[in-house]
Amino acid sequence: MFQKILIANRGEIACRVIDTARRLGVATVAVYSDADAGARHVAMADEAVHIGGPRPADSYLRGAAIIEAALKTGAEAIHPGYGFLSENPDFVDAVQAAGLVFIGPSGAAIRAMGLKDAAKALMAEAGVPIVPGYHGDNQDPDHLAGAAEALGYPVLIKAVAGGGGKGMRRVDHPADFAAALLSAQGEAQTAFGNPAVLIEKYVEKPRHIEVQVFGDGTRAVHLYERDCSLQRRHQKVIEEAPAPGMTDEMRAAMGQAAVRAAEAIGYSGAGTVEFIVDASDGLRPDRFWFMEMNTRLQVEHPVTEAITGVDLVEWQLRVASGEPLPAKQDDLQIRGHAVEARLYAEDVPAGFLPATGTLKHLRFPPGIRVETGVRPGDVISPWYDPMIAKVISHGPTRAAALIALARALEATEVAGTVTNLGFLARLSRHPGFVAGDVDTGLIARDLQPLTHPLPTPPAARALAVIAAAGLHEATGTGFSLWAPLRRPVPFEAPAHLQVIGPNRLRVEIDGQGHDCALHPDGWWVDGAKTGAQIHVVGDEITVFLRGAHRFQRPDPLARESSASASGLTLAPMPGLVKAVFVAPGAQVAAGDRLAVLEAMKMEHTLCAARAGRVAEVLAGAGDQVEAGAALIRLAEEEVA
Ligand code: ADP
Ligand code: ADP
Ligand code: MG
């Protein structure tokens, strides 16, 4: 086993790797950017090396600086985590050239699976079923349209260099093909610097079922499947293992195909073979096809660990340090069922917009596995993926695991930013999902009931008014400082407050009165015990009462922004301008794409709010901009 390893990553995955390394007696070195000097992974590691500025390109993507840090600290091996450099074969080669061990597959194996077209060709050769489609070199639009016609609509256009669901377009009608192709190529060019696409038959009632594999460079075993069908825009939201409705026959067929895929490329370490499954007629062994292989540890690996009892990071360290595969296929078994939800700082009603903030309050319920890279007081910065945590439940049955997940999500408290907790909790109680009737379209079909804001309980509003007055933590003495006068409280709605006795207040809001009392067991409202928790961060008040309810104390300095009406396109969050599509003088229609902003690993397309002529372009590709920065200005509207 290694004496010391370096972890070339951040956030929850860096912390998770450190946990296992520590258990195995392996010393750890963290690397960090300027934005992460106080991060949890740095605090957890035995040593830490600063590697540059907050932008990934200036730090976590700087292979040479990371290798230098490993050499300087005497680390023998580098664990890449996922994302960043984990699937970069040139980095793997450089690590090995420096005399260090890369904890993962060879550069050659990563290259073989790096582009979706070449990977499909290779897999077809190895006898792995692939999605019917065209994955040749001819990128002529007419040729591609012909290939789509031959496959039969609907089809899916995919960037060959794609990842994270980018550069992908579903096309239902031949008339829409040309436009969809152009936009897929454009997105692929901006995101990956490679516009090439392939065409696939769009699988009906698609389920995403992937198989965890583990190789020693020659032979491989599989650790069963995960179902990741609950997706939003081709991004996984909730994952589980095993797959609901899986039969022994189909499991054996998928497991064998995945092992064949891994062995065909001499795979070493942990990897995932992703399949798309046509579930229109149940799960059948002749209805699954290879999509791609992710040559790294996957975000959702904990559900596999839960059902197999294997620590996949331990296996990674053991195999990379030269030990044989820790188990044979026959040693592996499935125990119970596990479900994982990805908790993000994001504004769900606003269309899942990534959010930032200081996690003034963060509490997870006991008795459930939580993987996180943040602690109370830490910041979700605009520089990286806004993940707060992964919450993983494990139970004897699927029903038990789902209930445990739903309860854990409902009991998780985050203040200081918006989160997708409510959405995840509702999703984990969704009747179709609970019945195991999943497919990748489930979330989109039921988006409205899953995402519409829940009505705020009146008691939560009343308590927020008390917090707005600064009395939520007051004691009897605190109250007695207030004269028993009815006084206005600055709040989102007209609100008044009156102290009417020791620990008793009367709150009036929107003309409605509430009796509020602070007892030793917390706040009571209108005679009912609430169990509510109240947290105030700056002007933001969060009341936890059957979910998180956020309120804003009015900021007297806030200015009403009429920017978009006046023709200004502003950056909605801090980020990197990836592309600007217009030049001064250009005529645009409402909804036209003006620019792409990359923030928190997601791309946001900024569109024209109205028609007009571009008067000024105030930012260019490569510029780092602040939230609210003006990017493009349209000329004044001509009044007829
Ligand atoms: P995985 O199957 O392991 O999630 P993906 O290809 O979906 O792999 O994701 C690749 C990278 O993108 C991971 O590093 C992950 O952290 C990040 N990612 C995945 N989903 C999201 C999301 N909703 N928002 C931001 N980043 C994400
Ligand atoms: P990425 O590299 O972005 O992860 P994938 O090829 O893995 O791209 O596809 C991402 C998601 O898109 C899948 O999980 C699935 O939901 C959907 N998808 C991919 N291929 C097909 C297909 N042929 N038919 C239907 N859905 C598909
Ligand atoms: Mg994928």
Side-chain angles (χ1 to χ4, degrees), residues 116 163-165 208 210 234 236 274 291-292 294 296 298:
K116 292 186 202 287
H208 174 121
E210 57 186 35
H234 309 300
K236 298 159 188 169
E274 295 191 334
M291 272 193 304
E292 66 165 346
N294 292 326
R296 55 175 160 86
Q298 203 112 334

PDB file of all heavy atoms in Angstrom, residues 116 163-165 208 210 234 236 274 291-292 294 296 298, ligand 3:
ATOM      1  N   LYS A 116     -17.082   9.410 -28.192  1.00  0.00           N
ATOM      2  CA  LYS A 116     -18.191   8.451 -28.226  1.00  0.00           C
ATOM      3  C   LYS A 116     -18.229   7.642 -29.524  1.00  0.00           C
ATOM      4  O   LYS A 116     -18.662   6.489 -29.519  1.00  0.00           O
ATOM      5  CB  LYS A 116     -19.519   9.190 -28.036  1.00  0.00           C
ATOM      6  CG  LYS A 116     -19.721   9.786 -26.648  1.00  0.00           C
ATOM      7  CD  LYS A 116     -21.127  10.375 -26.536  1.00  0.00           C
ATOM      8  CE  LYS A 116     -21.233  11.421 -25.443  1.00  0.00           C
ATOM      9  NZ  LYS A 116     -21.221  10.899 -24.082  1.00  0.00           N
ATOM     10  N   GLY A 163     -20.214  15.310 -22.907  1.00  0.00           N
ATOM     11  CA  GLY A 163     -20.235  14.938 -21.498  1.00  0.00           C
ATOM     12  C   GLY A 163     -21.182  15.879 -20.792  1.00  0.00           C
ATOM     13  O   GLY A 163     -21.432  16.982 -21.292  1.00  0.00           O
ATOM     14  N   GLY A 164     -21.722  15.413 -19.657  1.00  0.00           N
ATOM     15  CA  GLY A 164     -22.617  16.266 -18.885  1.00  0.00           C
ATOM     16  C   GLY A 164     -23.865  16.685 -19.648  1.00  0.00           C
ATOM     17  O   GLY A 164     -24.456  17.712 -19.347  1.00  0.00           O
ATOM     18  N   GLY A 165     -24.249  15.889 -20.637  1.00  0.00           N
ATOM     19  CA  GLY A 165     -25.493  16.165 -21.359  1.00  0.00           C
ATOM     20  C   GLY A 165     -25.401  17.321 -22.349  1.00  0.00           C
ATOM     21  O   GLY A 165     -26.396  17.724 -22.938  1.00  0.00           O
ATOM     22  N   HIS A 208     -31.796   4.750 -18.027  1.00  0.00           N
ATOM     23  CA  HIS A 208     -30.330   4.759 -17.966  1.00  0.00           C
ATOM     24  C   HIS A 208     -29.921   3.751 -16.898  1.00  0.00           C
ATOM     25  O   HIS A 208     -30.182   3.964 -15.718  1.00  0.00           O
ATOM     26  CB  HIS A 208     -29.844   6.170 -17.619  1.00  0.00           C
ATOM     27  CG  HIS A 208     -28.358   6.271 -17.382  1.00  0.00           C
ATOM     28  ND1 HIS A 208     -27.533   7.084 -18.119  1.00  0.00           N
ATOM     29  CD2 HIS A 208     -27.557   5.650 -16.491  1.00  0.00           C
ATOM     30  CE1 HIS A 208     -26.291   6.960 -17.683  1.00  0.00           C
ATOM     31  NE2 HIS A 208     -26.275   6.095 -16.686  1.00  0.00           N
ATOM     32  N   GLU A 210     -26.526   1.623 -15.658  1.00  0.00           N
ATOM     33  CA  GLU A 210     -25.086   1.523 -15.851  1.00  0.00           C
ATOM     34  C   GLU A 210     -24.534   0.437 -14.950  1.00  0.00           C
ATOM     35  O   GLU A 210     -25.143   0.093 -13.933  1.00  0.00           O
ATOM     36  CB  GLU A 210     -24.426   2.877 -15.532  1.00  0.00           C
ATOM     37  CG  GLU A 210     -24.731   3.370 -14.116  1.00  0.00           C
ATOM     38  CD  GLU A 210     -24.191   4.774 -13.844  1.00  0.00           C
ATOM     39  OE1 GLU A 210     -24.180   5.609 -14.748  1.00  0.00           O
ATOM     40  OE2 GLU A 210     -23.772   5.004 -12.690  1.00  0.00           O
ATOM     41  N   HIS A 234     -30.701  15.445 -19.159  1.00  0.00           N
ATOM     42  CA  HIS A 234     -29.628  14.458 -19.312  1.00  0.00           C
ATOM     43  C   HIS A 234     -28.633  14.484 -18.154  1.00  0.00           C
ATOM     44  O   HIS A 234     -27.534  13.972 -18.268  1.00  0.00           O
ATOM     45  CB  HIS A 234     -28.879  14.634 -20.641  1.00  0.00           C
ATOM     46  CG  HIS A 234     -29.790  14.695 -21.832  1.00  0.00           C
ATOM     47  ND1 HIS A 234     -30.636  13.664 -22.163  1.00  0.00           N
ATOM     48  CD2 HIS A 234     -29.992  15.659 -22.744  1.00  0.00           C
ATOM     49  CE1 HIS A 234     -31.324  14.009 -23.247  1.00  0.00           C
ATOM     50  NE2 HIS A 234     -30.952  15.222 -23.617  1.00  0.00           N
ATOM     51  N   LYS A 236     -28.024  13.469 -14.080  1.00  0.00           N
ATOM     52  CA  LYS A 236     -28.591  12.606 -13.050  1.00  0.00           C
ATOM     53  C   LYS A 236     -29.013  13.411 -11.821  1.00  0.00           C
ATOM     54  O   LYS A 236     -28.311  14.332 -11.410  1.00  0.00           O
ATOM     55  CB  LYS A 236     -27.551  11.563 -12.646  1.00  0.00           C
ATOM     56  CG  LYS A 236     -27.175  10.663 -13.826  1.00  0.00           C
ATOM     57  CD  LYS A 236     -25.841   9.986 -13.625  1.00  0.00           C
ATOM     58  CE  LYS A 236     -25.436   9.263 -14.903  1.00  0.00           C
ATOM     59  NZ  LYS A 236     -24.045   8.801 -14.853  1.00  0.00           N
ATOM     60  N   GLU A 274     -22.037   2.718 -19.268  1.00  0.00           N
ATOM     61  CA  GLU A 274     -23.411   3.229 -19.294  1.00  0.00           C
ATOM     62  C   GLU A 274     -24.188   2.617 -20.456  1.00  0.00           C
ATOM     63  O   GLU A 274     -23.714   2.619 -21.594  1.00  0.00           O
ATOM     64  CB  GLU A 274     -23.406   4.762 -19.436  1.00  0.00           C
ATOM     65  CG  GLU A 274     -22.793   5.474 -18.243  1.00  0.00           C
ATOM     66  CD  GLU A 274     -23.021   6.987 -18.262  1.00  0.00           C
ATOM     67  OE1 GLU A 274     -23.188   7.564 -19.359  1.00  0.00           O
ATOM     68  OE2 GLU A 274     -23.009   7.590 -17.179  1.00  0.00           O
ATOM     69  N   MET A 291     -23.816   3.036 -24.306  1.00  0.00           N
ATOM     70  CA  MET A 291     -23.807   4.468 -24.649  1.00  0.00           C
ATOM     71  C   MET A 291     -22.402   5.032 -24.571  1.00  0.00           C
ATOM     72  O   MET A 291     -21.916   5.667 -25.477  1.00  0.00           O
ATOM     73  CB  MET A 291     -24.670   5.266 -23.671  1.00  0.00           C
ATOM     74  CG  MET A 291     -26.109   5.362 -24.050  1.00  0.00           C
ATOM     75  SD  MET A 291     -26.969   6.614 -23.075  1.00  0.00           S
ATOM     76  CE  MET A 291     -26.670   6.110 -21.417  1.00  0.00           C
ATOM     77  N   GLU A 292     -21.755   4.846 -23.404  1.00  0.00           N
ATOM     78  CA  GLU A 292     -20.404   5.355 -23.230  1.00  0.00           C
ATOM     79  C   GLU A 292     -19.815   4.712 -21.983  1.00  0.00           C
ATOM     80  O   GLU A 292     -20.524   4.119 -21.180  1.00  0.00           O
ATOM     81  CB  GLU A 292     -20.399   6.885 -23.075  1.00  0.00           C
ATOM     82  CG  GLU A 292     -21.082   7.381 -21.811  1.00  0.00           C
ATOM     83  CD  GLU A 292     -20.753   8.837 -21.508  1.00  0.00           C
ATOM     84  OE1 GLU A 292     -19.814   9.388 -22.111  1.00  0.00           O
ATOM     85  OE2 GLU A 292     -21.427   9.411 -20.632  1.00  0.00           O
ATOM     86  N   ASN A 294     -17.474   5.708 -18.645  1.00  0.00           N
ATOM     87  CA  ASN A 294     -16.826   6.750 -17.862  1.00  0.00           C
ATOM     88  C   ASN A 294     -15.654   6.104 -17.133  1.00  0.00           C
ATOM     89  O   ASN A 294     -15.835   5.223 -16.297  1.00  0.00           O
ATOM     90  CB  ASN A 294     -17.815   7.388 -16.895  1.00  0.00           C
ATOM     91  CG  ASN A 294     -18.874   8.193 -17.648  1.00  0.00           C
ATOM     92  OD1 ASN A 294     -18.591   8.781 -18.691  1.00  0.00           O
ATOM     93  ND2 ASN A 294     -20.088   8.199 -17.162  1.00  0.00           N
ATOM     94  N   ARG A 296     -13.569   6.451 -14.718  1.00  0.00           N
ATOM     95  CA  ARG A 296     -13.242   7.096 -13.437  1.00  0.00           C
ATOM     96  C   ARG A 296     -14.251   6.600 -12.415  1.00  0.00           C
ATOM     97  O   ARG A 296     -15.192   5.887 -12.743  1.00  0.00           O
ATOM     98  CB  ARG A 296     -13.381   8.609 -13.564  1.00  0.00           C
ATOM     99  CG  ARG A 296     -14.779   8.976 -14.082  1.00  0.00           C
ATOM    100  CD  ARG A 296     -15.024  10.462 -14.108  1.00  0.00           C
ATOM    101  NE  ARG A 296     -16.104  10.825 -15.005  1.00  0.00           N
ATOM    102  CZ  ARG A 296     -17.388  10.838 -14.698  1.00  0.00           C
ATOM    103  NH1 ARG A 296     -17.775  10.479 -13.489  1.00  0.00           N
ATOM    104  NH2 ARG A 296     -18.308  11.183 -15.569  1.00  0.00           N
ATOM    105  N   GLN A 298     -17.441   7.273 -10.275  1.00  0.00           N
ATOM    106  CA  GLN A 298     -18.601   8.075 -10.638  1.00  0.00           C
ATOM    107  C   GLN A 298     -19.215   8.749  -9.400  1.00  0.00           C
ATOM    108  O   GLN A 298     -19.099   8.235  -8.286  1.00  0.00           O
ATOM    109  CB  GLN A 298     -19.611   7.135 -11.278  1.00  0.00           C
ATOM    110  CG  GLN A 298     -20.577   7.829 -12.177  1.00  0.00           C
ATOM    111  CD  GLN A 298     -20.376   7.454 -13.620  1.00  0.00           C
ATOM    112  OE1 GLN A 298     -19.288   7.069 -14.020  1.00  0.00           O
ATOM    113  NE2 GLN A 298     -21.398   7.565 -14.410  1.00  0.00           N
TER     114      GLN A 298
HETATM  115 MG    MG B   3     -23.175   9.690 -19.640  1.00  0.00          MG
END
